[in-house]
Amino acid sequence: MKRFFLLTIFLAGCAAPPQGPSETAPPPVPEAPPAPKENVAIAGLMESARSDAAAGRLVQAAASLERALRIEPRNPRLWHELARVRLRQGDGAQAANLAARSNSFAGSDAQLRAANQGIIEQARTAR
């Protein structure tokens, strides 16, 4: 009996004291999921393509974008940029096809879908 009593006292000492409503700690804030990491090579090729396109070097811009697409073939922004370059080169049919391909990978990105639709419409009016 004495052992039972000592065991009960020992176990009671191990228990955490009850906390009142004012003593409760706020719930832990969940960590935000990590942002997707952008491929450094893709970012460099995209920047190179944009600067080439701005300078009028459309062939070099297209080559950079095609190289980037070999690395990330499901990247809708790359397909969109290549569609813009092809449209500036006067190849409306290919620009429309590339914009449609970009839409197939765009998911719920409404802004990119609208930009692609603009390319498709420009290509149709240019015909």
Side-chain angles (χ1 to χ4, degrees):
M1 183 76 158
K2 187 176 179 182
R3 283 186 180 172
F4 177 72
F5 180 71
L6 289 175
L7 181 62
T8 305
I9 290 175
F10 176 74
L11 290 176
C14 293
Q19 294 181 346
S22 63
E23 297 176 17
T24 59
V29 177
E31 289 185 29
K37 294 181 180 177
E38 185 176 55
N39 187 327
V40 177
I42 297 299
L45 289 167
M46 178 77 90
E47 182 59 34
S48 175
R50 285 183 177 159
S51 65
D52 284 340
R57 297 184 301 265
L58 299 177
V59 173
Q60 292 87 344
S64 293
L65 291 167
E66 288 169 352
R67 188 176 332 148
L69 281 165
R70 284 192 294 274
I71 298 168
E72 281 188 13
R74 298 178 59 87
N75 186 324
R77 298 221 175 266
L78 294 173
W79 289 107
H80 173 77
E81 288 296 322
L82 186 56
R84 288 179 52 192
V85 169
R86 294 299 185 214
L87 188 62
R88 285 186 59 191
Q89 288 177 322
D91 193 349
Q94 189 175 16
N97 287 337
L98 294 169
R101 172 136 340 151
S102 174
N103 275 341
S104 71
F105 297 124
S108 62
D109 189 342
Q111 187 176 10
L112 181 59
R113 288 180 168 280
N116 285 328
Q117 191 58 40
I119 290 173
I120 292 168
E121 290 170 6
Q122 287 178 9
R124 286 184 183 152
T125 58
R127 286 183 190 167

